[in-house]
Amino acid sequence: MCGIVGITANESVSSNIISALKKLEYRGYDSAGIAINTESQIHQKKVKGKLDNLILSLQKDGFDGKVGIGHTRWATHGEPSERNAHPHSSRKVSLVHNGIIENASELKSRIELKNYNFESDTDSEVITALITHYLNEGHDHMESVKQTISLLEGSYALAIIFSDLKDKIIGARNGSPLVAGTDGNSNSLGSDSIALSAIANKVCYLEDGDIVVLSRENVEIYNSSGDKANREFVDIGIMDTEVSKGSYNHFMEKEIHEHPKAVGETFRQFIDHDQGIISVDDIGLNFNDISKVHLIACGTAYYSCLVAKYYFEQYARLPVECDMASEFRYRDPVLDNKALYIFVSQSGETADTKAALDFCKDAKVRTLSIVNVMNSSIARESDYCLYTKAGAEIGVASTKAFTAQLSVLLSMALHCGTKNNNVTIEQNRQICKEIMQAPQILEKTIKRSYELKETAKAIIDSKGVMYLGRGTAFPLALEGALKFKEISYIHAEGYPAGEMKHGPLALIEKDLPVVCIVPPGPLFPKTVSNIQEVIARGGRILMITDDDSLKSSSENIWKIFRLPKTPKSIEAIVYSVPIHMLAYYTAVQLGNDVDQPRNLAKSVTVE
Ligand code: F6R
């Protein structure tokens, strides 16, 4: 993961490097560092912990200059510490790295590095060592970088400065994202365009194999064959600049409140107002020609795929397979030319999802991505792309991107069903009306969710929480448990309610909180029976439902969180709100760092 930045300008750059790192902190926050090429030499500062520690340290003992690089780290090789923080520097060169060098130990033991004094446990420092070696041998800067990266196995985005180059940065990318930016006064590099929004008005998304040379006046890009590449610079998107918490305490709180907008904007792309139906027509894909859907993603995005399995089966009557990207890519899966391979990712940069996409591209099967970040690698590399319109999601725990993903997947399933005659125009029209109510129902649900503050207070001392559901409520149970554990640090497990008696019922003991997601419908009485089995063993039930037939007292239910009446078609979207809110309130009660939970980072660009 890690965030990297580099700026060369006609003015001092350190405060802009820090501002850019602030926007990249979601990618990692266990240590941070900066290196500036002053007139005489490269000065650097590295600290353990969050960026604020670096800012404090620079206030005491700062330096500045017109070219520099910065880094915010998520540890892969080597514990989070000052020693392992980037930049990694020698007397001649200093660099920041995002990615993993898989052959680092082999490279470190090469004969030419036998006298190099390694100061960290990182894989990244070997890059500094190799570049220094080639410079010492008399190669020029570009050639030293080229020779070095030809030896690297793994992934990297690099920003490199040299003590004897007063205005230049060399960058390189392979498998990890890197964006070049410009605004006429400065040129810059960053892990994403959000980082560059204050210092660039145009950005260029670099491709794997690219090497870029930035000076104050120019940005020169070379492709993997060493030829000058004419890559397009595009205007920086509005989404890239909207990264403030506003009046909310946390980004996650703000982002939960943005569920209605994210869902409304996402569906809006697919509403055909003339016919009053949902339609995904204009991406050039022949939806009639799809015999199977294969959904691939990681984490929360994977849970959106599990919900979508129900959508595609119900509306389009298509067979569906779902895979976690990290498993799919190593399984030697049997691919099908008639299938559509769908990759779902908020960031569009998740390494496992991207590698699974590359695997499918190599096999020449049809690929479509559902992505939130415009122009991200997965968006650019898939054959077709549909965007979620969730806006920038900064909290590490994904919330509004999830409901936006469900909105695209539901629209696609309905569209496929309409094309293959499993859904009539009339049915599509009816569901479209229900979909148009979604933002309003979500707003009402958010207003009611404040009740969950009290519930959260009552469960903070629990040693674990279970989440149960059937149908689409089962993947929601998985999503609820994931969100809960990642920010509360309390163990949580999601399970299909009907499977409890095959093992997990053994976990139920007095007062264990069990969150049951129970929308009305044919599965309702079945889940209520499973709930009684839990109550009989002492479990405390929090029931989430929009059914109004049940009274908690008569059923011995601890608490009921009642949602506004919700149409079946948008149930999974609306029920996401209380499960996200419960996790949020619990983490707040516990005093945890909600937006930057321990050990995690957003945009997982390493395997
Ligand atoms: C959980 C969470 C992660 C991400 C996962 C995939 O709250 O945010 O599980 O969903 O890392 O990330 P993207 O969607 O960027 O591919």
Side-chain angles (χ1 to χ4, degrees), residues 2-62:
C2 304
I4 69 169
V5 63
I7 307 177
T8 173
N10 282 316
E11 54 188 15
S12 301
V13 293
S14 70
S15 67
N16 278 338
I17 289 177
I18 296 293
S19 317
L21 287 179
K22 197 83 211 151
K23 291 182 179 156
L24 286 174
E25 213 182 2
Y26 71 90
R27 301 176 74 91
Y29 32 82
D30 60 45
S31 52
I34 185 169
I36 301 279
N37 198 348
T38 64
E39 287 310 309
S40 51
Q41 57 179 299
I42 295 177
H43 283 279
Q44 70 170 31
K45 193 171 277 287
K46 315 201 277 192
V47 297
K48 184 177 171 190
K50 294 200 175 189
L51 190 62
D52 285 343
N53 297 351
L54 180 65
I55 297 170
L56 281 178
S57 176
L58 284 170
Q59 276 164 2
K60 278 194 220 128
D61 171 24

Side-chain angles (χ1 to χ4, degrees), residues 298-301 344-348 350 353 396-398 405 482-483 486 602 604:
C298 299
T300 285
V344 184
S345 174
Q346 186 286 128
S347 61
T350 300
T353 311
V396 164
S398 186
Q405 285 158 358
L482 171 64
K483 214 90 319 172
E486 79 176 309
K602 212 167 177 69
V604 186

Side-chain angles (χ1 to χ4, degrees), residues 269-290:
Q269 314 170 82
F270 308 122
I271 297 175
D272 170 346
H273 287 281
D274 293 339
Q275 296 195 74
I277 61 165
I278 293 291
S279 166
V280 188
D281 248 332
D282 59 1
I283 56 168
L285 172 65
N286 182 1
F287 284 91
N288 262 332
D289 188 28
I290 299 168

